Amino acid sequence: EDQVTQSPEALRLQEGESSSLNCSYTVSGLRGLFWYRQDPGKGPEFLFTLYSAGEEKEKERLKATLTKKESFLHITAPKPEDSATYLCAVHHAGNNRKLIWGLGTSLAVNP
Amino acid sequence: DVKVTQSSRYLVKRTGEKVFLECVQDMDHENMFWYRQDPGLGLRLIYFSYDVKMKEKGDIPEGYSVSREKKERFSLILESASTNQTSMYLCASISSGTDTQYFGPGTRLTVL
């Protein structure tokens, strides 16, 4: 069964304490893996798209990496404003434009 | 920048009412989507549209219908609202050349 699993469900960090969020997937024919950030009560905000194993993308304190089975979102020296839910989604061949979504990781960064 | 707007941020309706949620995008995107988001269940696809007047059911279409008369506008209709349709509703759009979905701000619907 096609599935996307994110871990941990929740993560609490101190400001400056680097960590990683995980998104593991079991789909055939990956066409893209997406990371979004969602603040409470708002729509998801696009962060990154990764297309092939070995690919990496960076934006400020965030770096996303991709292997054949999982993706990591590394957060370096986080700040309180990085607190949000981070969502992962996968697009695979034969699924038209539909994405398979993970349930997200809720990140809290304490000052 | 891609701009996706939704007609209301918050909406309160009574059981049995007909509810219209509207979504507008300004980037000439072909594909548009309606999701609902509930705690512990994540984002679930209700309907999507890949062109004007074209629609396809998502994973949870029961109790909903959609309309796409113009390319920029995609409406979600709750024919007879029920309390189990209380949720956050999110609209998204993508162009045919990419797979990246861009979301609107969401509508928090409460059905009493």
Side-chain angles (χ1 to χ4, degrees), chain A residues 29-78:
Chain A
L30 179 74
R31 290 186 57 176
L33 185 142
F34 305 84
W35 282 100
Y36 287 83
R37 170 197 169 120
Q38 186 175 25
D39 293 304
K42 296 187 177 181
E45 175 189 344
F46 170 70
L47 293 173
F48 303 109
T49 308
L50 301 167
Y51 292 103
S52 57
E55 189 175 359
E56 298 182 352
K57 288 194 176 172
E58 287 188 67
K59 180 181 180 180
E60 297 181 357
R61 295 177 293 283
L62 301 177
K63 179 180 177 180
T65 62
L66 181 65
T67 72
K68 288 186 177 180
K69 292 184 179 180
E70 59 192 348
S71 176
F72 292 95
L73 185 65
H74 307 277
I75 304 177
T76 302

Side-chain angles (χ1 to χ4, degrees), chain A:
Chain A
E1 181 189 355
D2 297 327
Q3 201 167 355
V4 174
T5 304
Q6 292 188 246
S7 61
E9 286 186 22
L11 181 63
R12 186 174 293 274
L13 300 173
Q14 288 299 124
E15 184 172 2
E17 180 187 1
S18 301
S19 188
S20 297
L21 313 182
N22 178 264
C23 172
S24 63
Y25 59 92
T26 53
V27 301
S28 55
L30 179 74
R31 290 186 57 176
L33 185 142
F34 305 84
W35 282 100
Y36 287 83
R37 170 197 169 120
Q38 186 175 25
D39 293 304
K42 296 187 177 181
E45 175 189 344
F46 170 70
L47 293 173
F48 303 109
T49 308
L50 301 167
Y51 292 103
S52 57
E55 189 175 359
E56 298 182 352
K57 288 194 176 172
E58 287 188 67
K59 180 181 180 180
E60 297 181 357
R61 295 177 293 283
L62 301 177
K63 179 180 177 180
T65 62
L66 181 65
T67 72
K68 288 186 177 180
K69 292 184 179 180
E70 59 192 348
S71 176
F72 292 95
L73 185 65
H74 307 277
I75 304 177
T76 302
K79 297 182 177 182
E81 53 262 43
D82 294 321
S83 298
T85 295
Y86 291 85
L87 298 171
C88 171
V90 163
H91 181 214
H92 69 95
N95 210 28
N96 204 340
R97 297 289 180 188
K98 295 189 288 185
L99 299 180
I100 303 171
W101 291 86
L103 295 181
T105 293
S106 176
L107 173 66
V109 181
N110 297 325

Side-chain angles (χ1 to χ4, degrees), chain B residues 27-63:
Chain B
M27 288 300 293
D28 202 36
H29 286 172
E30 292 85 358
N31 300 274
M32 298 185 73
F33 302 78
W34 274 108
Y35 293 91
R36 63 177 284 175
Q37 186 176 32
D38 301 286
L41 297 177
L43 279 158
R44 293 181 291 166
L45 182 65
I46 305 171
Y47 267 97
F48 69 102
S49 168
Y50 47 92
D51 203 349
V52 175
K53 296 190 186 297
M54 306 300 283
K55 62 186 179 185
E56 195 166 320
K57 293 180 180 178
D59 300 317
I60 51 163
E62 297 78 18

Side-chain angles (χ1 to χ4, degrees), chain B residues 99-112:
Chain B
D99 296 323
T100 302
Q101 295 191 14
Y102 295 94
F103 285 83
T107 296
R108 172 73 63 184
L109 173 67
T110 302
V111 182
L112 301 175

Side-chain angles (χ1 to χ4, degrees), chain B residues 3-31:
Chain B
K3 187 75 170 179
V4 180
T5 58
Q6 294 183 229
S7 51
S8 305
R9 291 300 310 276
Y10 300 95
L11 209 53
V12 180
K13 296 292 182 180
R14 297 279 179 191
T15 301
E17 281 193 77
K18 191 169 186 176
V19 182
F20 293 86
L21 303 181
E22 292 208 319
C23 174
V24 177
Q25 49 92 4
D26 67 352
M27 288 300 293
D28 202 36
H29 286 172
E30 292 85 358
N31 300 274

